Amino acid sequence: MNKKITISSIAAIVAITAVLAVSLPVDVLADYKEYSYPEISGSIAVGDSDYQGLEQITLSDAMRIAQGQVTDSNAMWGDLKVIQGYLVYKVGLISDDDKFYKVLVDAGNGDVLYVSDAKTKDSWANHSKDGKWKDHYADLTPEQRELKMKQWGEVKDAFFALDIDERAKLVMHFMSMKSQWDGLSDEQRDAKKAETKEFMNELLPLSVEEKTERLRQYINSI
């Protein structure tokens, strides 16, 4: 995998972030890491470090398994974690009726260890009245803001038009790029942000189909 952070790499990060931002209200995002899990028993007992490579199933396997637990849902992302001393994949799902779920999948045998209750989201109209979206587009007219929100919603649609293997590959790349991003200097971050803004200005006006194809082209390049 190419470890260099490129314009497309940052765009991939933005695309994943957009899926979360468009799909979930601020309170759900803030509470995402605060689930209280029941006692679980997995097949791979590990410590909190040096567990990479011990998994027996892939992220795409885990996302596919998790998605099968909630009717009419899509797997947004997943991450390999140690929970209660067992190696698991944490997978986030969003359902067609805009409810969010977290699923724990055993990284060894693929057993489903936990499915959270649904967390609901506010309507996009209510969500957009507060927080960063309003601030970010404060200089736009209401009609222009509505168009921007529609375009970001289409980024979400484009992401979910990808198959699970493609989504999983993009998520894994996103995690790698995020780690590198944290190590950049402020100047490097500013330069990448400017490149990203230019890229997204080109991406947003595209149709859902064109957005999907642009993401697919990038995934095939990594």
Side-chain angles (χ1 to χ4, degrees), residues 19 48 53 58 70 74 79 124 141 154 159 161 166 190 202 220:
V19 171
D48 290 333
T58 66
V70 177
N74 281 291
D79 197 11
W124 172 243
T141 66
E154 290 173 349
F159 178 73
E166 292 171 325
D190 288 343
E202 295 175 356
N220 289 336

Side-chain angles (χ1 to χ4, degrees), residues 54-201:
L54 297 179
E55 67 276 11
Q56 299 299 308
I57 65 172
T58 66
L59 175 59
S60 58
D61 291 333
M63 291 172 68
R64 189 172 289 107
I65 290 167
Q67 189 170 291
Q69 299 301 302
V70 177
T71 302
D72 298 327
S73 69
N74 281 291
M76 294 192 301
W77 74 283
D79 197 11
L80 189 65
K81 292 290 184 181
V82 177
I83 294 180
Q84 297 178 19
Y86 296 102
L87 192 60
V88 303
Y89 284 100
K90 293 194 301 185
V91 180
L93 304 177
I94 188 78
S95 64
D96 289 352
D97 59 353
D98 291 327
K99 293 179 181 177
F100 176 73
Y101 301 80
K102 182 183 283 188
V103 179
L104 298 185
V105 178
D106 190 296
N109 56 26
D111 284 353
V112 176
L113 303 178
Y114 170 75
V115 180
S116 75
D117 293 333
K119 287 186 177 291
T120 59
K121 71 180 282 292
D122 298 332
S123 69
W124 172 243
N126 288 335
H127 179 200
S128 64
K129 289 178 182 177
D130 203 7
K132 65 179 182 180
W133 288 99
K134 181 178 178 181
D135 294 339
H136 187 66
Y137 294 123
D139 58 336
L140 301 182
T141 66
E143 292 77 15
Q144 290 171 326
R145 284 198 295 271
E146 183 177 355
L147 175 60
K148 288 294 184 182
M149 289 186 286
K150 176 179 179 292
Q151 291 172 336
W152 278 109
E154 290 173 349
V155 174
K156 169 192 168 186
D157 294 339
F159 178 73
F160 287 138
L162 301 170
D163 65 35
I164 287 184
D165 290 335
E166 292 171 325
R167 276 180 261 157
K169 188 174 182 180
L170 188 55
V171 168
M172 291 175 66
H173 192 60
F174 160 70
M175 295 298 182
S176 174
M177 293 302 101
K178 183 177 183 295
S179 176
Q180 294 182 52
W181 177 263
D182 292 341
L184 295 178
S185 68
D186 290 342
E187 292 77 12
Q188 289 171 320
R189 290 184 182 184
D190 288 343
K192 296 303 179 182
K193 287 177 182 178
E195 292 174 347
T196 301
K197 182 177 180 180
E198 180 180 356
F199 182 91
M200 296 311 297
N201 284 340

Side-chain angles (χ1 to χ4, degrees), residues 46-52 54 82:
V46 293
D48 290 333
S49 61
D50 298 327
Y51 56 80
Q52 294 292 337
L54 297 179
V82 177

